[in-house]
Amino acid sequence: MSPTPPRLLIVDDDAVFARVLARAMDSRGFEVETANDAHQARDVAQRFRPGYCVLDLKLGEENGLRLIPELKAAVPSMRILLLTGYASIATAVEAIKRGAHDYLSKPVDADAVARALLEGESSSVSSGADDDDTPDAPEAPLPLRRLEWEHIQRVLTECDGNISETARRLGMHRRTLQRKLAKHPVRERPSRDD
């Protein structure tokens, strides 16, 4: 009666986090394997052939972004979700360019991971809700602070991460830019009626 569970590879150098997330995703209907570095991830991807992957941006000294094309080459249909402790539009854009399907900031819960992995697919994993409806575009414009954050990230990417050059292009003092970058981006939640 139940179809074959979707296969998920979790790649994170934090073995405890990987184990906890693996248990949580297993309870949500996934068949899960973990890897703690890029070498293990390549081997598991070749052997396990997962349809999904949760990939940490930082893998010790390695960068998870570099691993995305290799994982996609091993399993072209794999949907990759990149996780990072440092949210930035620039990193998200780069992850998507390299083949990731989505991007989430840590800390993250298993429900958010499952939603991100399965979004846009008719999935065999039951979420308990009918997801056939296409979400509407937000009616309210993005908050000004969010737009500013995204613009800063775009210019920072164009400057290859050079803070001084980014500050010059934005016409702001370097320390002001650093303060803005240190703040978390504004969440894109619809505003409640006050």
Side-chain angles (χ1 to χ4, degrees):
M1 175 158 187
S2 70
T4 306
R7 291 179 170 190
L8 170 64
L9 169 60
I10 298 173
V11 185
D12 198 305
D13 62 336
D14 180 342
V16 174
F17 173 80
R19 202 166 42 248
V20 169
L21 183 58
R23 254 185 267 133
M25 298 308 291
D26 180 68
S27 72
R28 284 162 178 78
F30 288 86
E31 181 182 344
V32 185
E33 290 216 13
T34 62
N36 299 119
D37 59 42
H39 179 72
Q40 271 186 336
R42 289 181 204 101
D43 290 348
V44 174
Q46 288 290 342
R47 175 182 50 77
F48 185 55
R49 313 287 300 162
Y52 302 91
C53 178
V54 174
L55 174 63
D56 192 24
L57 177 64
K58 285 239 180 231
L59 297 173
E61 296 298 312
E62 298 178 278
N63 185 327
L65 286 173
R66 292 193 187 114
L67 189 57
I68 294 171
E70 294 180 56
L71 292 173
K72 293 291 286 183
V75 185
S77 62
M78 184 189 305
R79 291 181 59 88
I80 298 175
L81 171 64
L82 189 74
L83 297 184
T84 180
Y86 303 97
S88 99
I89 299 301
T91 306
V93 168
E94 187 61 28
I96 301 302
K97 280 183 186 174
R98 290 178 184 238
H101 290 86
D102 209 341
Y103 176 95
L104 290 177
S105 302
K106 286 181 175 179
V108 66
D109 65 35
D111 289 330
V113 170
R115 276 192 306 275
L117 289 171
L118 301 172
E119 187 176 283
E121 288 198 350
S122 57
S123 166
S124 58
V125 176
S126 172
S127 64
D130 185 6
D131 294 328
D132 289 340
D133 297 333
T134 304
D136 294 328
E139 292 180 20
L142 290 176
L144 183 59
R145 288 185 304 168
R146 180 66 192 198
L147 291 172
E148 178 190 44
W149 170 262
E150 291 191 14
H151 179 66
I152 288 170
Q153 294 299 322
R154 194 169 21 258
V155 174
L156 184 62
T157 301
E158 290 170 7
C159 296
D160 294 324
N162 184 315
I163 300 289
S164 297
E165 178 60 23
T166 302
R168 272 192 291 280
R169 288 190 189 183
L170 292 171
M172 68 175 64
H173 194 278
R174 188 174 189 274
R175 276 184 259 161
T176 302
L177 176 59
Q178 287 174 318
R179 275 196 303 274
K180 288 180 181 287
L181 290 171
K183 293 180 183 177
H184 294 292
V186 178
R187 298 203 186 276
E188 295 181 34
R189 290 188 179 146
S191 59
R192 291 188 282 241
D193 294 327
D194 293 333

